[in-house]
Amino acid sequence: MYIFRALIFSTVICLMSMEVSYCQSLNVHGSVAGCESGVTLSPGVYKSYGSAFINLRRLDSTPIFRVEEESAVYRWLMPRLLSPRHLVFQATLYPLAYASSQLESFHRKTFDRFNFLDMNLLRTLGMGPEEPYAISFLFGNMALLGFRQKEEVSGVRLRQAGTMFAGLLLSGGHWHIHDNIRVDDLWYHGELIVTGNFKYATAAPQKIEWDFRLGTKIHRNDLAPDVLTFSLFRSHTDWNQHGFSLIRNARLEYEAHFPLSDKPGSRHFTSRQMFTYAKKVPLVLLGRYIALRLGGGVMWERTRLFDRDEWQFEVEESEHFTWLVQPSIEF
């Protein structure tokens, strides 16, 4: 009965973990008072976000590059870092991380129902994000990415199918997830970022996403140290790709935190490192393009763990590893 219940929970979690970021993402472009603007909504169980941008320069259009011209995009964006012309507002939610920390913090009996083989399935799936949500503002520049599409009348035109940003990202929130326990913590995060996505939706589709960040994160709660942060992320999906490759049809993420101040004589160089990797299997099922994503990773932290018997955080810091499991289905 116990095993049967665990199998049911595993099936439910896997179904919950389906990513709907391909067909269900919504992108709308227009203008406000002569300024170019747009809205993007992208739901997902691991990460959901909504963003809105506006071009601060009236009657100024955002350039569009072919996706093959990645180096040309960098050459256009980098010299303009000190002259931002786009303002982006974004709200991000990490649903699985929020659900896991919320249930363990305030609904322990419900949370314990996910226990199986000395681990909690919900905690294993939800671990990774340090906060359940974030509110962000990006000051920088945006370029559009596109591909050439044939038209019956005008021949060939460049169709927009992605975006790329570079600039300063300011984020904040009032909750922090510490050892899967939600605590009050007014935090601020400033980062220099280069991020982008491209979704080629005609014929056999392909998707590419990337995100590189360097910043500083400040906490008001002493449980979390102030840190220098570094992260990189890249995801690739191509239904035309055949054969095995570590980079193509794969998702890679790495994150490291370097303490801004540490105990004298400490041998620790970082306070947190996380690495995840997933291999994708693109399939066509009933005429729909889907990709099975099988993967996981490991997270190392030097932190004060939560004593679940005494229901309080331990006084001394300690090191611990957490295995991450992140199955998903992309549409």
Side-chain angles (χ1 to χ4, degrees):
M1 183 67 181
Y2 182 71
I3 295 178
F4 178 71
R5 185 180 66 177
L7 289 174
I8 292 177
F9 281 136
S10 300
T11 303
V12 170
I13 292 300
C14 288
L15 291 175
M16 288 171 55
S17 302
M18 292 182 179
E19 293 286 348
V20 292
S21 59
Y22 185 69
C23 291
Q24 279 70 27
S25 291
L26 174 66
N27 295 276
V28 179
H29 290 82
S31 63
V32 176
C35 296
E36 184 183 24
S37 61
V39 175
T40 297
L41 298 176
S42 182
V45 173
Y46 293 113
K47 178 181 178 181
S48 297
Y49 68 89
S51 64
F53 81 89
I54 186 169
N55 191 331
L56 300 177
R57 301 181 182 181
R58 295 182 71 249
L59 305 178
D60 185 17
S61 61
T62 301
I64 181 170
F65 297 87
R66 285 181 298 150
V67 68
E68 299 87 356
E69 301 175 319
E70 186 172 348
S71 60
V73 184
Y74 290 119
R75 289 196 301 270
W76 184 87
L77 286 173
M78 294 310 173
R80 293 169 171 79
L81 282 177
L82 299 180
S83 180
R85 66 177 189 174
H86 288 93
L87 171 64
V88 181
F89 168 79
Q90 179 167 302
T92 306
L93 175 68
Y94 302 93
L96 270 178
Y98 173 80
S100 178
S101 60
Q102 177 76 9
L103 289 178
E104 184 168 13
S105 301
F106 305 107
H107 305 281
R108 184 63 185 275
K109 290 184 179 180
T110 302
F111 182 80
D112 287 343
R113 293 177 182 175
F114 291 86
N115 290 335
F116 177 64
L117 295 179
D118 296 325
M119 71 175 183
N120 186 280
L121 298 176
L122 189 57
R123 181 191 294 136
T124 300
L125 288 167
M127 289 290 284
E130 287 192 301
E131 54 275 336
Y133 82 95
I135 301 297
S136 307
F137 291 91
L138 172 65
F139 302 90
N141 293 284
M142 180 178 74
L144 302 179
L145 302 177
F147 61 92
R148 294 189 180 277
Q149 183 181 49
K150 293 184 178 180
E151 292 189 333
E152 294 181 0
V153 179
S154 57
V156 178
R157 74 182 182 96
L158 202 59
R159 179 180 175 184
Q160 192 258 329
T163 57
M164 187 169 179
F165 290 94
L168 173 64
L169 180 69
L170 301 176
S171 305
H174 77 294
W175 285 335
H176 174 71
I177 299 175
H178 197 81
D179 194 17
N180 205 48
I181 300 298
R182 201 190 76 190
V183 298
D184 293 332
D185 176 21
L186 191 62
W187 59 271
Y188 310 93
H189 200 178
E191 300 171 280
L192 291 175
I193 74 167
V194 177
T195 184
N197 65 84
F198 176 77
K199 300 177 182 180
Y200 185 92
T202 62
Q206 61 175 304
K207 297 189 297 179
I208 304 174
E209 299 175 89
W210 61 95
D211 192 291
F212 308 98
R213 305 187 180 207
L214 177 65
T216 301
K217 194 171 188 179
I218 306 298
H219 296 268
R220 291 292 182 89
N221 193 313
D222 293 337
L223 286 171
D226 298 337
V227 292
L228 177 69
T229 62
F230 168 77
S231 66
L232 60 87
F233 167 84
R234 189 172 183 90
S235 177
H236 177 270
T237 314
D238 187 350
W239 278 262
N240 285 313
Q241 175 68 29
H242 301 286
F244 179 79
S245 171
L246 290 175
I247 302 299
R248 294 181 178 274
N249 285 324
R251 182 182 186 275
L252 171 70
E253 183 175 10
Y254 174 75
E255 179 182 305
H257 290 182
F258 306 88
L260 294 178
S261 61
D262 211 341
K263 298 177 182 179
S266 173
R267 62 182 177 85
H268 297 286
F269 181 57
T270 61
S271 61
R272 169 186 167 103
Q273 292 194 61
M274 181 181 71
F275 173 80
T276 64
Y277 176 82
K279 188 62 181 173
K280 302 180 183 181
V281 182
L283 301 171
V284 180
L285 183 63
L286 299 178
R288 296 286 300 273
Y289 290 96
I290 67 171
L292 303 180
R293 195 173 79 197
L294 305 174
V298 63
M299 180 174 66
W300 173 89
E301 287 184 300
R302 177 166 58 94
T303 184
R304 289 166 57 184
L305 297 178
F306 190 74
D307 189 328
R308 285 160 175 81
D309 294 325
E310 299 293 332
W311 205 249
Q312 63 182 9
F313 285 98
E314 298 177 352
V315 177
E316 297 294 331
E317 292 182 344
S318 60
E319 303 176 43
H320 73 108
F321 285 89
T322 302
W323 294 103
L324 307 176
V325 180
Q326 297 178 333
S328 181
I329 301 176
E330 296 182 10
F331 289 90

